[in-house]
Amino acid sequence: MIFRVSSTALLLFSTSLAALAAENGPITSITLSSGGLAEVVRKADIDSSGLINMTVPLDQVNDVLKSIVVFDEAGVVEGITLPGPSPLAETFKNLPFSKEDLQSPAQLLSKLQGTGVRLDRAGSDVEGLVLGVSVRDRGDQGQVAVVSVLSQGRIVGVELEPDTEITFLDADIQNQVAKALSAVGNGKADGARNVALKVAGEGAREVAVSYVVPTPIWKTAYRVVTMADDTARLQAWAVLENASGEDWENVTVTLSSGAPVTLKQRLHDLYWRERREVPVDVSAGYVPRADSGAQASLDGFGIEEVRNRATGLARLAAPVAEAAPAPMAYNVASANVGEASEGAVTASFTLPWPVDLERGQTLSAPIVDRVVSAETVSVFQPESGLEHPIAAILIKNETDTSLPKGILTVYDEREGYVGDAQINGMPSGESRLASFATDKKVRVKQTAFPDNRISEVKVADGVLTATIRQRASVAYVIQGAPDADRTVVVEHPKRPGWEFSSPQHLDDTATHHRLKIEVAEGATETVTALSERTLNETYRLVSTGAEELLSLSTRTPEPEVAEKLKELAGLQSEIARVERRIRQLQAGKDEEMADQQRHRANLAALQPGADLYKRAALKLSESETRIEAIDTDISDLKTRQAEIRQTLGDAIRAF
């Protein structure tokens, strides 16, 4: 079956394909951010109509719309145009047929009722207006679609066979069908958008265009070689990928560290303001409700402190291989590093050579090569539960720029590889501990000595206020290595609100106090850490128990106060004994009263004068006697309780 459209529509279709095929200018520089974005700068040609044409992957359109800028001293940017997010849907929105209707001539003609067509088949043709399409059953030959056409006052049915030619006589319908087919063809490769920047100015010329798009974050891998004079050779290498979808040729690459705020927004999507729908009033108007009668009166009826401390130093401990010293020193070759600069919030490293990197490839290049101060120490971390400290390097950033966080490989200039570590971001002039191995030749034992002594006691209006000096003393006994001196750093956990002191205090991190001591070969040294604080505790003496009063008496520094507290403890203890005895007697009385109920029930069921009646009456009398004795004892105890409470009150007032 032949489907004909006008030659003008085909020309428009080929022109749109040519526009989408426009090539972008070459990339000249890329700045990779640690925030996962890349600033791309590329050359661009402005044609005679003042347009810069670029093909942008669909997943980058939102970021390009957000960030694109043009560097041009001779022109003025007027705007950007590009196909919408759903050009295919927009194309069919106002057409009398859908994308699915283009699958079949019969289906398309059924939607174009009243359209003028010419149908040519087997040397005969029919011109007229489409009435509709039906299906004719041809028995064993299956079914065939039949289009009904109103031609010169007659209704003619034409079977739509493969050799039937259909020509639309209406130029508008021809253009609509051609436009729809073009949109469908473009939609099959709907992975990019042709972006056209309108720039007014001095005609055709070359400019630069910059925009920001997502990219894999670049990583940092450090190499450090420790040397004998408390220095180390520090090299930083950047690892990056070309995930731009196009090859880099002679591109200037800059790496930017820091913590940028990165946002995205779907600027290319369509958003419609929601409007409140006002319903059409179809009600019958007000209708008075039916009376249900008077209602009866209803008067009288009714109707979590979390504590979260972050660990400041990351650790990656691995055992040190006890290998023989290498026969030669590790003389690391110098690295070709480019320019480094420090900005207000970022540090930038520009590679010193233009980069050629095919799409999908990875590049690792040095960005720092310096000899810096680096002291090898053994770091003991009590919360680890280990008896051995961790070998670490205290590295100082003596470069002019901040160094990003990354993984670090540690070499010794004589022994070679000794371990790995991870290191956090390090501003210029600051130091970081990089822990890389367990120092099994050194042992540390810690012992705590808590002390909660009362320094002062005051009593007013029956309330005792104790000023308590809490002390937490810890001794770290360090057994040094048998074959070499060690510098040991103890990271003692901070206690918020406590004052800290130690003769070996070095400095503080956000979560720890650092203590430093030199331990000679085979020697044993002790590091002490003292944390202190003062707090007040209050006790209502009339309600404080005997055990707590005795505890206070042992902790108070004043003997006279201790004796008074012991006296109060004795009185409280006696009151407790009396109360306990009263409860026991009351429980016995309750049992006797339960027995009385049973005896009275027996008397009611027996014949007066009978032996069983007399026996039950006797038991009831004996129970009454016991209850009277219990009541007497309880009364005496309550009297005693009142006397003791009076004595306690007098003692408290005289405290």
Side-chain angles (χ1 to χ4, degrees):
M1 181 178 299
I2 300 175
F3 196 99
R4 293 180 176 175
V5 296
S6 70
S7 59
T8 304
L10 292 174
L11 178 60
L12 293 173
F13 176 57
S14 61
T15 302
S16 62
L17 289 178
L20 283 175
E23 294 185 357
N24 301 336
I27 296 175
T28 58
S29 68
I30 288 182
T31 300
L32 300 177
S33 167
S34 56
L37 295 176
E39 180 186 358
V40 180
V41 180
R42 65 195 323 145
K43 292 180 181 178
D45 292 324
I46 300 178
D47 61 22
S48 58
S49 61
L51 291 178
I52 300 174
N53 290 301
M54 296 173 50
T55 301
V56 178
L58 190 58
D59 59 357
Q60 295 182 3
V61 168
N62 288 316
D63 286 295
V64 170
L65 288 175
K66 178 194 76 171
S67 60
I68 193 167
V69 293
V70 178
F71 299 95
D72 180 21
E73 297 181 356
V76 178
V77 177
E78 294 185 345
I80 303 173
T81 59
L82 71 160
S86 303
L88 193 59
E90 293 296 321
T91 297
F92 285 94
K93 180 181 290 185
N94 297 317
L95 293 180
F97 50 86
S98 66
K99 174 187 173 185
E100 289 71 23
D101 295 330
L102 295 175
Q103 303 291 328
S104 164
Q107 194 170 337
L108 177 61
L109 289 173
S110 67
K111 295 296 181 67
L112 296 177
Q113 192 175 34
T115 298
V117 296
R118 182 172 62 249
L119 304 176
D120 296 321
R121 180 173 181 268
S124 63
D125 62 82
V126 176
E127 288 189 11
L129 303 178
V130 176
L131 291 178
V133 179
S134 60
V135 177
R136 179 180 298 169
D137 191 352
R138 297 194 297 189
D140 295 340
Q141 296 181 359
Q143 295 178 331
V144 63
V146 178
V147 58
S148 298
V149 178
L150 178 61
S151 176
Q152 298 179 357
R154 297 179 303 121
I155 298 178
V156 181
V158 180
E159 293 184 350
L160 297 179
E161 296 288 356
D163 60 346
T164 303
E165 295 184 4
I166 304 171
T167 303
F168 294 112
L169 303 179
D170 189 335
D172 289 340
I173 295 296
Q174 290 184 21
N175 291 334
Q176 288 178 359
V177 174
K179 179 180 179 182
L181 288 173
S182 175
V184 171
N186 292 337
K188 293 182 182 299
D190 195 24
R193 290 291 183 271
N194 182 36
V195 177
L197 289 83
K198 177 65 174 176
V199 182
E202 300 178 356
R205 61 193 180 279
E206 186 178 85
V207 296
V209 176
S210 172
Y211 52 89
V212 176
V213 292
T215 189
I217 61 173
W218 64 279
K219 289 80 66 179
T220 308
Y222 293 92
R223 293 87 157 134
V224 61
V225 181
T226 60
M227 295 181 283
D229 55 353
D230 285 341
T231 61
R233 182 73 171 273
L234 177 66
Q235 287 187 352
W237 288 61
V239 180
L240 56 101
E241 292 79 26
N242 178 2
S244 65
E246 54 186 301
D247 296 341
W248 295 351
E249 296 181 2
N250 203 32
V251 175
T252 300
V253 176
T254 300
L255 309 172
S256 175
S257 68
V261 176
T262 58
L263 304 173
K264 64 179 181 179
Q265 191 172 64
R266 292 158 57 183
L267 299 173
H268 193 226
D269 289 4
L270 301 179
Y271 298 91
W272 306 95
R273 173 74 66 179
E274 291 189 6
R275 296 177 294 165
R276 188 181 67 177
E277 181 178 349
V278 179
V280 177
D281 187 2
V282 295
S283 66
Y286 174 73
V287 178
R289 66 178 179 272
D291 183 25
S292 59
Q295 186 176 12
S297 175
L298 297 178
D299 292 343
F301 290 82
I303 315 273
E304 299 173 337
E305 163 185 34
V306 176
R307 300 175 66 186
N308 183 12
R309 308 293 295 180
T311 303
L313 182 65
R315 298 175 295 278
L316 241 171
V320 177
E322 299 180 0
M328 60 179 294
Y330 272 70
N331 296 319
V332 179
S334 298
N336 183 14
V337 299
E339 180 182 354
S341 61
E342 183 82 18
V345 294
T346 62
S348 297
F349 306 89
T350 301
L351 301 187
W353 33 268
V355 173
D356 293 333
L357 191 66
E358 294 182 2
R359 71 191 75 181
Q361 288 194 339
T362 297
L363 170 68
S364 181
I367 55 176
V368 173
D369 187 3
R370 286 285 295 272
V371 175
V372 297
S373 298
E375 182 181 7
T376 301
V377 298
S378 295
V379 181
F380 180 69
Q381 298 159 337
E383 59 267 34
S384 70
L386 303 175
E387 65 174 348
H388 301 289
I390 304 298
I393 308 173
L394 184 60
I395 302 175
K396 185 174 183 180
N397 180 7
E398 294 176 334
T399 70
D400 296 328
T401 56
S402 299
L403 298 180
K405 66 179 180 180
I407 190 169
L408 184 147
T409 303
V410 183
Y411 295 91
D412 182 84
E413 67 175 343
R414 292 172 301 175
E415 299 178 11
Y417 170 77
V418 291
D420 292 330
Q422 52 182 335
I423 191 166
N424 285 329
M426 184 165 39
S428 178
E430 292 193 8
S431 299
R432 294 289 186 271
L433 271 174
S435 304
F436 62 86
T438 301
D439 188 353
K440 290 188 174 181
K441 296 183 179 181
V442 178
R443 283 183 169 83
V444 181
K445 180 181 179 182
Q446 56 178 320
T447 306
F449 303 95
D451 184 10
N452 296 330
R453 295 186 181 183
I454 297 176
S455 59
E456 184 181 13
V457 173
K458 293 181 180 180
V459 178
D461 299 327
V463 177
L464 182 146
T465 301
T467 301
I468 300 174
R469 185 190 63 184
Q470 290 186 317
R471 306 183 69 188
S473 179
V474 180
Y476 298 96
V477 180
I478 304 169
Q479 180 182 348
D483 56 354
D485 297 345
R486 286 289 194 273
T487 299
V488 178
V489 174
V490 176
E491 291 193 328
H492 183 75
K494 281 185 176 181
R495 307 181 80 171
W498 294 62
E499 293 183 3
F500 178 80
S501 61
S502 172
Q504 295 85 14
H505 189 200
L506 173 64
D507 56 24
D508 294 328
T509 69
T511 56
H512 290 78
H513 304 287
R514 282 180 177 162
L515 317 178
K516 182 179 179 182
I517 191 169
E518 304 293 336
V519 182
E521 175 183 330
T524 299
E525 300 287 348
T526 300
V527 175
T528 59
L530 176 62
S531 299
E532 297 180 287
R533 71 172 179 178
T534 300
L535 66 158
N536 293 327
E537 295 180 356
T538 58
Y539 303 87
R540 287 181 56 83
L541 294 176
V542 71
S543 58
T544 303
E547 291 185 2
E548 202 158 13
L549 289 170
L550 285 175
S551 175
L552 289 171
S553 70
T554 61
R555 294 160 57 196
T556 182
E558 303 177 25
E560 182 180 352
V561 173
E563 287 301 319
K564 290 183 178 180
L565 289 173
K566 290 179 181 178
E567 178 186 350
L568 296 181
L571 292 172
Q572 289 284 27
S573 179
E574 189 173 354
I575 290 174
R577 286 195 298 271
V578 170
E579 290 177 343
R580 188 163 52 250
R581 181 56 184 159
I582 289 175
R583 287 193 298 271
Q584 292 172 349
L585 291 173
Q586 187 63 50
K589 180 180 177 181
D590 292 342
E591 291 179 2
E592 288 291 344
M593 294 183 71
D595 284 343
Q596 279 189 346
Q597 294 296 329
R598 183 170 54 83
H599 297 325
R600 288 191 176 94
N602 290 338
L603 287 174
L606 295 173
Q607 184 68 29
D611 291 342
L612 289 176
Y613 184 91
K614 294 177 180 178
R615 186 175 177 182
L618 178 60
K619 288 184 177 180
L620 180 61
S621 176
E622 291 173 348
S623 178
E624 285 288 350
T625 301
R626 287 193 293 272
I627 288 176
E628 290 175 358
I630 290 174
D631 286 339
T632 300
D633 290 344
I634 290 176
S635 177
D636 292 343
L637 287 171
K638 287 185 176 181
T639 300
R640 175 58 183 159
Q641 182 186 42
E643 292 173 352
I644 301 172
R645 288 190 179 280
Q646 180 64 38
T647 304
L648 177 66
D650 293 341
I652 291 174
R653 285 187 289 273
F655 203 112

